Amino acid sequence: MNTTMLKGQLLERWQRSPLQRRWNTLVPRERMALALMLLCIVGALLYISFWQPAQHRLHNAREALAQQLELSGYLQAKAPQARALVERPTSSIAPEQLQGLVTTSAAAAQLTIERIDNQGDGSLQVSLQPVAFNLLLRWFNELEAQGVRIDEAGLDRNEEGLVTSRLTLRVAQ
């Protein structure tokens, strides 16, 4: 079937339809009013289905951009403070005191040290028995506040939800 035959069949069907017969009985003024009403309805449907959702997405994207710009500005404003905190420890210890500090602070934090190895470069390798992660984080914060830097950290979670850790610690300079 070619397109001209299909067009002809559709036109013939339209001319025999009750809707076409009703359309032909209307006066031109009523036809114009119905055509305008149909145009308004089609316009409203297009607005509701295409334009309004696009405007809503645009509004949401602008709000997200404004939030991200605000966050970026805040982070950039606070960056010098963060760098200053990282660069200088709150207290300083001598490298010879590192092992004593680590063992006493671990005992105070209820952590059990499995093994401590002194490295030739002044750092310590520490292996801890499995412990709850939140206790480990508190101990990390305490160490950093006392001037100890964590160079490397290897953390493994076991099946009971505890964490086994292997750390390389050094005195912060």
Side-chain angles (χ1 to χ4, degrees):
M1 230 192 222
N2 60 21
T3 56
T4 55
M5 266 178 82
L6 185 61
K7 285 179 187 177
Q9 287 178 351
L10 287 176
L11 184 61
E12 183 182 321
R13 219 180 247 177
W14 167 248
Q15 289 172 349
R16 285 186 287 143
S17 73
L19 186 61
Q20 174 62 26
R21 280 189 240 128
R22 176 72 177 131
W23 179 262
N24 289 334
T25 61
L26 295 176
V27 293
R29 188 179 62 181
E30 289 175 339
R31 286 183 193 172
M32 178 65 82
L34 278 175
L36 288 174
M37 188 173 22
L38 180 62
L39 186 64
C40 289
I41 290 172
V42 167
L45 287 175
L46 288 174
Y47 174 78
I48 289 171
S49 62
F50 294 112
W51 185 256
Q52 194 174 23
Q55 289 298 315
H56 183 68
R57 285 190 300 272
L58 177 64
H59 175 72
N60 289 345
R62 284 184 177 156
E63 283 182 356
L65 176 64
Q67 288 175 351
Q68 291 300 317
L69 289 174
E70 182 182 341
L71 178 61
S72 175
Y74 174 80
L75 290 176
Q76 288 178 354
K78 298 296 182 181
Q81 292 174 346
R83 284 188 199 102
L85 287 174
V86 168
E87 291 172 357
R88 62 176 169 82
T90 54
S91 67
S92 179
I93 62 168
E96 306 83 43
Q97 298 172 325
L98 180 61
Q99 185 171 349
L101 175 69
V102 168
T103 55
T104 56
S105 65
Q110 301 174 348
L111 302 174
T112 306
I113 297 176
E114 285 183 347
R115 183 177 176 156
I116 294 182
D117 291 326
N118 279 321
Q119 302 297 100
D121 59 355
S123 64
L124 288 177
Q125 281 193 340
V126 180
S127 297
L128 298 172
Q129 287 185 349
V131 66
F133 187 67
N134 60 347
L135 292 175
L136 193 61
L137 282 180
R138 280 191 219 129
W139 186 58
F140 288 169
N141 288 334
E142 182 183 322
L143 286 177
E144 287 183 347
Q146 294 178 9
V148 177
R149 186 177 75 204
I150 301 170
D151 276 349
E152 294 179 24
L155 305 174
D156 294 321
R157 190 180 83 188
N158 65 13
E159 54 276 345
E160 293 95 36
L162 301 177
V163 176
T164 304
S165 57
R166 293 167 309 284
L167 310 167
T168 302
L169 305 173
R170 176 184 313 273
V171 173
Q173 302 293 332

